[in-house]
Amino acid sequence: MATGTLKIRRRLSVEEYCEGIIKGNRRTLSKALTLAESQKQEDRQLFQEVLQKVMPYTGKSLRIGITGLPGAGKSTLIENAGTMLIGQGHQVAVLAVDPSSAVTGGSILGDKTRMSQLSSMPQAFIRPSPSGHSLGGIAAKTRESILLCEAAGFDIIIVETVGIGQTGAEVYNMTDIFLLMLLTGAGDELQAVKKGISELADIIVINKADGNNEEKAQQMKKSLEQIFDQTNKHGNKNILLHSSLKSNRTEHLLDAISNMQKHKMRSGQFLQKRKTQNLDWMHAEINKLLIQDFYESNIYQSASENYEKQVIEGSCPPALAAKKLLEVYRKGINNF
């Protein structure tokens, strides 16, 4: 019987990760993104060291967020727009947040299969990531992934959301330009306004505006413009028609994004939003770490069983039990 040797994968050092990322090595970048998604403490520590060292190379991209219901054509739009952007000399990274498998926790859809042309280009990098249990349809480490892609030299970062029930606030809070994609005949225009997601959008894209849908799309555009004339104190919303069958409309969309970026840069909104996003990110991390520390503490472990029993039996209101547990936790910390 043939025998073989077991190959042991060597862990890269901080310096090797940083060197590979800065040089734009796709393999090293992929490994770093996997490291970011790891739940192991040693991986998290290593990743934080890598991220800190590459920070001087970040922040120089345009971050574009795209949200919309499944089937709205987000992936097709990204592939067409990404291909055009590469033709203009850009390096494009796509962070496609897929629904998570309930069995494996991994991505179900796999956007690389839905963007085959774009993924084959050396100037493009596509990373499908499972949304997991995070809110807003955004993978837990999307912000870190954006920074790593920037450090690797990508000057256009596109974040595509799952588009299933999320408000869109998460992608809005980590990107510079936010697009909402709608379809004709689905009642999306009213639903979008009701949910408030359209208030966050810089550009609303009515997709598949071709053939028999052309007239419906024009009517939908007029309807949305009337709605925003009545509800939006800032005036008209940037509403565009799009079709993957008409390349000039993709060009018009890219022009609109470019003009929006220039406007935000001139007005100071661009840099101010980046600063606000970083502070919001820091506060969100504090909240996450505090909750994690609370539940993992020996203090909670020893006191929770008693209060959980009282809540189950109905002898203690849940709100009061939570307050008591926090008091025990604070007292334990102060006595430490």
Side-chain angles (χ1 to χ4, degrees):
M1 184 175 69
T3 59
T5 57
L6 180 64
K7 291 184 178 180
I8 300 176
R9 293 184 178 179
R10 182 179 64 86
R11 177 189 288 266
L12 297 180
S13 66
V14 172
E15 291 72 22
E16 288 172 323
Y17 269 115
C18 294
E19 181 180 2
I21 291 169
I22 294 168
K23 287 184 177 181
N25 185 291
R26 304 294 197 269
R27 185 176 179 83
T28 306
L29 176 59
S30 294
K31 287 184 177 181
L33 292 172
T34 300
L35 198 67
E37 296 168 355
S38 174
Q39 299 299 315
K40 296 180 180 179
Q41 184 60 38
E42 60 269 27
D43 289 344
R44 293 298 304 146
Q45 178 63 38
L46 176 60
F47 173 74
Q48 290 302 327
E49 293 180 32
V50 171
L51 186 60
Q52 186 170 4
K53 285 187 175 295
V54 301
M55 281 300 290
Y57 300 89
T58 67
K60 299 171 185 175
S61 76
L62 174 63
R63 305 166 183 172
I64 303 171
I66 299 182
T67 192
L69 293 172
K74 298 188 294 294
S75 296
T76 302
L77 172 63
I78 292 171
E79 178 162 58
N80 293 343
T83 302
M84 283 189 180
L85 287 166
I86 288 173
Q88 297 171 6
H90 294 285
Q91 301 271 331
V92 179
V94 180
L95 301 174
V97 186
D98 277 346
S100 297
S101 166
V103 178
T104 66
S107 298
I108 293 176
L109 301 179
D111 268 88
K112 282 190 176 181
T113 63
R114 292 183 281 139
M115 304 179 197
S116 56
Q117 181 181 354
L118 184 62
S119 63
S120 65
M121 294 183 169
Q123 302 92 338
F125 179 81
I126 300 177
R127 175 75 177 194
S129 299
S131 60
H133 301 291
S134 62
L135 298 177
I138 300 298
K141 300 303 175 184
T142 303
R143 288 183 175 88
E144 286 95 335
S145 299
I146 290 173
L147 295 176
L148 287 181
C149 288
E150 288 178 340
F154 294 98
D155 61 333
I156 302 289
I157 313 291
I158 301 175
V159 181
E160 178 195 1
T161 70
V162 177
I164 301 177
Q166 86 284 339
T167 64
E170 286 294 320
V171 67
Y172 170 80
N173 285 330
M174 64 178 71
T175 54
D176 306 310
I177 306 292
F178 179 45
L179 275 62
L180 168 64
M181 291 197 67
L182 301 177
L183 285 174
T184 58
D188 284 346
E189 66 272 25
L190 296 178
Q191 289 299 319
V193 173
K194 288 178 182 178
K195 294 177 181 178
I197 188 172
S198 56
E199 289 298 325
L200 299 176
D202 295 299
I203 300 172
I204 295 178
V205 181
I206 302 174
N207 200 26
K208 302 184 180 180
D210 51 56
N212 295 332
N213 282 329
E214 181 77 33
E215 186 177 348
K216 293 180 182 178
Q218 292 287 357
Q219 293 175 350
M220 183 176 180
K221 184 175 185 291
K222 290 180 181 178
S223 175
L224 283 169
E225 287 172 344
Q226 291 174 356
I227 290 172
F228 285 110
D229 280 343
Q230 299 169 4
T231 62
N232 190 355
K233 64 181 180 180
H234 300 295
N236 293 330
K237 179 73 69 173
N238 200 343
I239 304 170
L240 301 176
L241 301 182
H242 183 265
S243 168
S244 60
L245 303 179
K246 300 181 179 182
S247 61
N248 64 317
R249 286 187 170 171
T250 303
E251 293 172 359
H252 291 160
L253 174 58
L254 293 180
D255 288 341
I257 292 173
S258 178
N259 291 334
M260 182 67 66
Q261 179 188 14
K262 291 174 183 176
H263 168 72
K264 290 191 174 190
M265 292 291 286
R266 286 194 300 265
S267 64
Q269 295 177 45
F270 192 94
L271 295 179
Q272 183 56 47
K273 187 178 181 183
R274 286 278 181 101
K275 293 176 182 178
T276 302
Q277 287 174 345
N278 285 335
L279 287 177
D280 289 345
W281 182 7
M282 182 187 75
H283 293 145
E285 285 296 311
I286 291 173
N287 291 337
K288 183 182 72 175
L289 292 172
L290 281 173
I291 292 173
Q292 181 179 329
D293 184 69
F294 172 74
Y295 282 111
E296 292 180 355
S297 68
N298 293 330
I299 301 169
Y300 170 79
Q301 298 296 334
S302 60
S304 62
E305 184 176 351
N306 177 45
Y307 284 103
E308 286 176 358
K309 182 179 179 182
Q310 293 181 46
V311 168
I312 292 172
E313 293 174 346
S315 59
C316 180
L320 179 59
K323 182 179 179 181
K324 292 292 185 181
L325 276 170
L326 281 174
E327 289 175 354
V328 172
Y329 176 70
R330 291 182 187 133
K331 184 176 180 181
I333 291 177
N334 292 332
N335 292 335
F336 182 71

